[in-house]
Amino acid sequence: MNSYSQHVISAYLDVVDFNEISKMYLQKRNLFQDLLKDSRFELLPCEGTYFQVVNYKEISTKNDVDFAKELTTNHGVASIPISVFYKNATDKQMLRFCFAKTDETLIAAADKLRKI
């Protein structure tokens, strides 16, 4: 890392309140989970992250890469297929959604996902 970046990060660490950031992400996670609780997606527990992992086995038999593409193309919601993190591309019909977004974006995405 270059020295300029180190100085900027150092200054940021002096002014950021990590407790507030943690609370913010907890609120976003809870909002997203609450919005999806009546959907056909199975929400897996998530702590210490800004990604919600879901299982979609009740919705589709497609592999996770194809289903993620379908969500993006047909429904306008981006997700990350979990299989891309496995060395052998193990498909468990799971996706992850990033909830580090504005509340408006989360509400709009959840509205689309609940209709699937």
Side-chain angles (χ1 to χ4, degrees), residues 7 18 27 30 33 35 39 49 51 55-56 64-65 67 73 75 78-79 83 86 97 111:
H7 288 290
F18 287 101
Q27 290 171 341
N30 291 345
Q33 287 179 341
L35 291 167
S39 73
T49 182
F51 291 102
N55 187 296
Y56 61 86
D64 62 354
V65 172
F67 191 62
T73 303
H75 303 282
S79 63
S83 68
Y86 286 93
F97 295 102
D111 184 50

Side-chain angles (χ1 to χ4, degrees), residues 43-100:
L43 281 68
L44 283 71
C46 69
E47 297 287 333
T49 182
Y50 46 82
F51 291 102
Q52 174 63 61
V53 176
V54 301
N55 187 296
Y56 61 86
K57 65 184 175 194
E58 299 297 322
I59 300 170
S60 176
T61 58
K62 290 183 177 183
N63 68 54
D64 62 354
V65 172
D66 289 341
F67 191 62
K69 288 177 184 177
E70 178 183 314
L71 286 179
T72 303
T73 303
N74 297 344
H75 303 282
V77 180
S79 63
I80 303 164
I82 296 296
S83 68
V84 301
F85 298 104
Y86 286 93
K87 183 177 181 179
N88 64 355
T90 301
D91 179 22
K92 298 185 178 202
Q93 289 188 292
M94 292 191 292
L95 303 171
R96 69 184 202 167
F97 295 102
C98 179
F99 54 79

Side-chain angles (χ1 to χ4, degrees), residues 29-43 52 54-55 58-59 109-116:
R29 183 205 64 190
N30 291 345
L31 171 65
F32 194 61
Q33 287 179 341
D34 189 50
L35 291 167
L36 287 182
K37 70 181 177 189
D38 294 326
S39 73
R40 295 171 51 203
F41 291 94
E42 176 189 353
L43 281 68
Q52 174 63 61
V54 301
N55 187 296
E58 299 297 322
I59 300 170
D111 184 50
K112 294 173 183 180
L113 293 170
R114 282 193 311 266
K115 294 175 182 174
I116 298 174

